[in-house]
Amino acid sequence: MSNPYAKLPAWAEYGLIPLVNLVVAFLVAGLVVLLVGENPLEAAYHMVNGAFGRGEYIGFTLYYATTFIFTGLSVAVAFHAGLFNIGSEGQAYIGGIGVALVCLWFDATMPWFIVFPLAIVGSALFGALWAFLPGWLQAKRGSHIVITTIMFNFIASSLMVYLLTRVLKPLGSMAPQTRTFEAGGQLPKLDWLLSIFGLDIGNAPFNVSFLLALLAAFAVWALIWRTRFGYEMRTMGHSPSAGRYAGISETRIIIIVMMISGGLAGMMALNPIMGEQFRMQLDFVQGAGFVGIAVALMGRSHPAGIIPAAILFGMLYQGGAEIAFEMPSISRDMIVIIQGLVILFAGALENMFRPAIGRAFAGLGRRSAPAVQTGGA
Amino acid sequence: MDLFQTIIAILESTIRVSVPLIFAALGGLFTERAGVFDISLEGKMLGAAFAAGAVAAVSGSVMAGLLAAILISVLLSLVHGYASITQRGSQIVSGVAINFVVAGSTVILGEAWFRQGGRTPALSGDARFQTVTLPFAEAVKDVPILGPIYSDLLSGHFILTYLAFAMVPFSWWVLYRTRFGLRLRAVGENPGAVDTAGISVIWLRYRAVICAGILCGFAGAYLSLAMSAGFVKGMTAGKGYIALAALIFAKWRPLNIMLACLLFGFLDALAIRLQGNPLPLIGQVPVQLMQALPYILTVILLAGFIGKAIPPKAGGIPYVKER
């Protein structure tokens, strides 16, 4: 891909531009709030207060953030290899089967610290398998990964409805969900982590899978920037022809990257299933896979960007619930709008303000300090 | 005769559920043939359905509703066009974004304006499309075989239904028999050549996305003004993606699109019919399998196991004029 835009200093490239895009997205969201007849500033206050006002709120914010770190990493890994995995949603959903099976088998006989690693393997395995087929089809048969992963999301959803209403549901129960897990299938909370800061977690389901998410973020960083495979996949992402010329197997990269991406998405299932509900329910993913797209775009596909972006979306989810409580005409669907706007401005329109910012920097460089008035941004 | 009536009933509902798919898939045909991938068919349809439901409820006029649907859908197309043609952003990302913005704002605005849990008020009379009875439908009703086919299956649909089927040959004519169509297809295969001929690639692609906007507007208006009496939140329920699947399944050709939409519509109608009724020989088919079948078929087709689906060559690539 050629880049027709002037090169900017790193802090502008990775700090200023995403920030400007984010601010614009929130301004447009504020317009929607105005259209509904409410005060955007008041909504913003309720959101920030609802997300960080109390230890319990922070616990919920970080609980949601955990989920989004996994799905954000999942989308980002695929981005680096030039693949757009819209299927994180379905892969996370299928990953839930792995978690549920492990928990249903071992929850009564084993403690959580033995069940947890098995469940990690199970979730990653099932997520990776669900991503394997689209990856294989892209690599071997040339079918477009975006379309196949969209199709696989729908197939996953039908499959899970079938499994939860007919197979995994306990006999005699009406609700489409598995039985509630015993102690072995329940992850301990991270109340001690927040109590270091003098915060009381209350009922928030903030649990050890947060630590796993941080670990996964580090592992993804190491994989992409510190291994030979990471170098190969980035090469492939930048220029497939250069990669082929260098003797990198495109098939191998695509399939492995998709499986890593699917595995990360699948691990997302640990957080709600073992950390909050202690059972697998219908539609437990709740669009987290799609939030991952926004998180990855905003975090510029770098783990160091994805974690704050995930926390921001955790804030939106938790604070959004608070807004819905305080201002009845704004439901949680407001988050979906903001999510869409972030994807639009940080993703598809990421270059909209770049020429202006680039000109401003060029002006600064040429005429030194006094010529700030050229800066249109 | 009972079986015959069942078949007529299933085919009749096949036609009913295929209409929005046909409109949306033809819309996708125009943009994708011009080299702009469009996964925002779903969002455009949903936005149009909401605009149609809201405006028809307030004004009491079905035509005002239809116009509003087309207007909103074209506006959303222009956003997609601005992001992916002018700003050369990722077409997929832009499409995803539009789907989310629409999914959220239809609920928020609908709830704020009408306070009926994300619905628009129920429409009746002039605010809704009425079914059209074809001439002589009553007279030939008693003719065996052909009578029911004419008066039950073909007659008694909405005007938009007939328009949808008329759009199929019309789209074919526009794409294959007009100068605009030739250039549009060329811009999806080799934009450089079109540019060299002195024709604006940008303007052509914009016109293509506007065509898609108009067609998705019809699809949305059909959902909220004809098929149901008002807008219900999330009422497209993945139809935009099914239309996308149909477009690919049809290998980006108008006539095939109609057949693919009818096939997917038939699966949908059959799934509703079979709910709880075991099939002879096969036994009980899980509804979920029937629902997933369009997606599974599309994946199999894309994999090249039934023919090969070759997308327009320049699809998904923003055009950069060389200087």
Side-chain angles (χ1 to χ4, degrees):
Chain A
M1 263 188 284
S2 65
N3 185 3
Y5 300 103
K7 193 156 169 54
L8 294 174
W11 68 268
E13 179 72 38
Y14 296 107
L16 188 62
I17 287 186
L19 194 70
V20 169
N21 292 335
L22 193 66
V23 167
V24 175
F26 273 91
L27 286 179
V28 177
L31 283 181
V32 178
V33 176
L34 272 181
L35 219 57
V36 172
E38 295 278 1
N39 183 352
L41 291 177
E42 203 187 324
Y45 167 76
H46 286 307
M47 169 167 307
V48 174
N49 187 44
F52 298 113
R54 264 199 253 161
E56 187 173 0
Y57 297 163
I58 296 179
F60 268 105
T61 299
L62 291 176
Y63 162 75
Y64 289 121
T66 307
T67 293
F68 303 146
I69 293 174
F70 282 121
T71 53
L73 289 173
S74 160
V75 178
V77 166
F79 270 154
H80 277 288
L83 300 166
F84 193 165
N85 179 14
I86 303 195
S88 298
E89 181 80 10
Q91 290 142 17
Y93 210 177
I94 296 293
I97 302 178
V99 182
L101 287 182
V102 168
C103 288
L104 290 172
W105 279 330
F106 300 115
D107 64 337
T109 49
M110 306 253 191
W112 74 269
F113 52 84
I114 296 187
V115 179
F116 189 42
L118 292 173
I120 295 173
V121 174
S123 62
L125 194 71
F126 273 80
L129 282 178
W130 199 249
F132 165 76
L133 220 51
W136 183 81
L137 288 170
Q138 165 84 61
K140 284 284 186 192
R141 319 282 312 189
S143 31
H144 202 296
I145 199 94
V146 170
I147 306 293
T148 27
T149 48
I150 291 178
M151 301 298 140
F152 266 65
N153 282 345
F154 284 101
I155 299 172
S157 157
S158 291
L159 180 68
M160 291 300 278
V161 174
Y162 177 77
L163 287 178
L164 282 171
T165 51
R166 305 215 182 185
V167 185
L168 293 170
K169 189 183 68 168
L171 276 177
S173 155
M174 285 303 287
Q177 57 194 29
T178 64
R179 69 172 167 81
T180 306
F181 306 143
E182 307 289 329
Q186 308 191 356
L187 293 180
K189 288 185 182 179
L190 283 180
D191 38 5
W192 53 270
L193 189 67
L194 285 187
S195 64
I196 296 174
F197 304 100
L199 295 165
D200 175 25
I201 192 172
N203 286 323
F206 178 47
N207 60 74
V208 289
S209 52
F210 178 69
L211 301 180
L212 180 71
L214 295 184
L215 207 66
F218 177 76
V220 165
W221 171 81
L223 172 83
I224 295 176
W225 282 282
R226 287 293 178 274
T227 66
R228 185 194 163 109
F229 181 79
Y231 180 75
E232 287 179 350
M233 67 183 252
R234 280 184 294 135
T235 308
M236 201 54 101
H238 270 288
S239 166
S241 52
R244 275 192 294 271
Y245 192 67
I248 299 169
S249 159
E250 202 171 8
T251 312
R252 181 174 144 259
I253 300 278
I254 291 176
I255 293 178
I256 295 178
V257 165
M258 277 309 286
M259 288 181 76
I260 294 172
S261 175
L264 285 164
M267 277 149 77
M268 166 266 158
L270 296 161
N271 191 35
I273 293 183
M274 288 184 78
E276 196 211 1
Q277 297 148 356
F278 311 128
R279 61 173 95 94
M280 184 162 68
Q281 297 175 324
L282 214 54
D283 201 27
F284 69 87
V285 186
Q286 294 197 313
F290 299 121
V291 178
I293 300 171
V295 168
L297 287 169
M298 226 182 82
R300 304 226 128 207
S301 300
H302 192 293
I306 286 169
I307 293 173
I311 292 175
L312 181 93
F313 269 92
M315 179 194 101
L316 287 177
Y317 267 63
Q318 167 55 21
E322 203 62 23
I323 297 184
F325 187 69
E326 298 282 343
M327 305 164 96
S329 58
I330 302 178
S331 64
R332 289 191 61 166
D333 296 278
M334 193 69 215
I335 307 164
V336 181
I337 303 184
I338 297 178
Q339 182 187 332
L341 290 169
V342 167
I343 295 177
L344 187 66
F345 286 102
L349 290 174
E350 64 165 338
N351 291 330
M352 192 156 78
F353 302 105
R354 195 183 290 267
I357 293 174
R359 268 199 304 279
F361 274 100
L364 279 177
R366 231 187 353 263
R367 280 179 275 171
S368 74
V372 190
Q373 74 270 18
T374 50
Chain B
M1 209 55 203
D2 196 32
L3 177 70
F4 179 66
Q5 263 157 10
T6 313
I7 291 174
I8 291 280
I10 292 179
L11 292 182
E12 202 265 328
S13 58
T14 299
I15 292 181
R16 217 173 34 225
V17 295
S18 306
V19 170
L21 301 182
I22 293 177
F23 275 128
L26 287 176
L29 176 72
F30 276 91
T31 59
E32 302 217 342
R33 268 304 175 99
V36 180
F37 280 154
D38 195 354
I39 61 172
S40 64
L41 297 175
E42 173 88 2
K44 282 190 280 222
M45 217 193 312
L46 189 65
F50 175 71
V55 170
V58 172
S59 69
S61 152
V62 68
M63 277 304 149
L66 179 63
L67 277 180
I70 293 174
L71 191 73
I72 288 295
S73 178
V74 169
L75 273 178
L76 290 170
S77 285
L78 290 176
V79 172
H80 184 52
Y82 178 71
S84 54
I85 302 170
T86 306
Q87 292 291 335
R88 303 197 286 266
S90 160
Q91 299 166 358
I92 311 263
V93 174
S94 155
V96 172
I98 288 172
N99 287 344
F100 282 121
V101 171
V102 173
S105 38
T106 49
V107 180
I108 295 266
L109 295 178
E111 180 58 28
W113 291 343
F114 301 105
R115 307 217 172 275
Q116 295 185 9
R119 290 168 168 271
T120 60
L123 303 170
S124 57
D126 283 345
R128 209 189 149 185
F129 279 105
Q130 305 298 326
T131 51
V132 183
T133 310
L134 294 183
F136 312 117
E138 281 305 312
V140 298
K141 204 173 175 65
D142 295 327
V143 178
I145 310 290
L146 289 178
I149 288 183
Y150 183 74
S151 56
D152 291 341
L153 184 59
L154 298 180
S155 171
H157 289 286
F158 303 100
I159 188 87
L160 285 181
T161 310
Y162 301 110
L163 182 69
F165 285 93
M167 285 313 283
V168 176
F170 180 71
S171 302
W172 174 85
W173 179 77
V174 169
L175 282 174
Y176 291 91
R177 286 294 179 272
T178 65
R179 181 184 298 194
F180 168 67
L182 176 69
R183 289 175 175 177
L184 186 141
R185 283 181 295 129
V187 107
E189 298 291 337
N190 190 346
V194 177
D195 198 15
T196 312
I199 302 158
S200 165
V201 173
I202 306 285
W203 173 224
L204 247 171
R205 286 190 167 170
Y206 264 108
R207 277 185 286 175
V209 296
I210 291 171
C211 289
I214 295 171
L215 285 162
C216 288
F218 279 118
Y222 177 85
L223 287 176
S224 62
L225 299 181
M227 207 157 142
S228 358
F231 174 82
V232 185
K233 72 174 177 183
M235 79 185 307
T236 45
K239 287 194 179 63
Y241 295 108
I242 298 238
L244 192 66
L247 173 64
I248 297 160
F249 201 72
K251 302 175 185 175
W252 293 270
R253 283 173 213 284
L255 182 66
N256 292 1
I257 284 177
M258 184 184 78
L259 298 176
C261 290
L262 284 172
L263 172 68
F264 290 172
F266 176 72
L267 291 175
D268 196 12
L270 203 61
I272 297 165
R273 195 85 193 178
L274 285 181
Q275 213 144 19
N277 300 332
L279 213 64
L281 298 177
I282 310 167
Q284 185 82 38
V285 181
V287 193
Q288 290 83 18
L289 179 65
M290 301 289 287
Q291 283 164 347
L293 213 50
Y295 307 113
I296 297 173
L297 284 176
T298 307
V299 169
I300 295 174
L301 176 94
L302 265 177
F305 296 122
I306 351 171
K308 186 107 184 105
I310 301 163
K313 213 171 175 182
I317 309 159
Y319 182 65
V320 184
K321 203 182 175 89
E322 284 181 47
R323 296 194 179 88

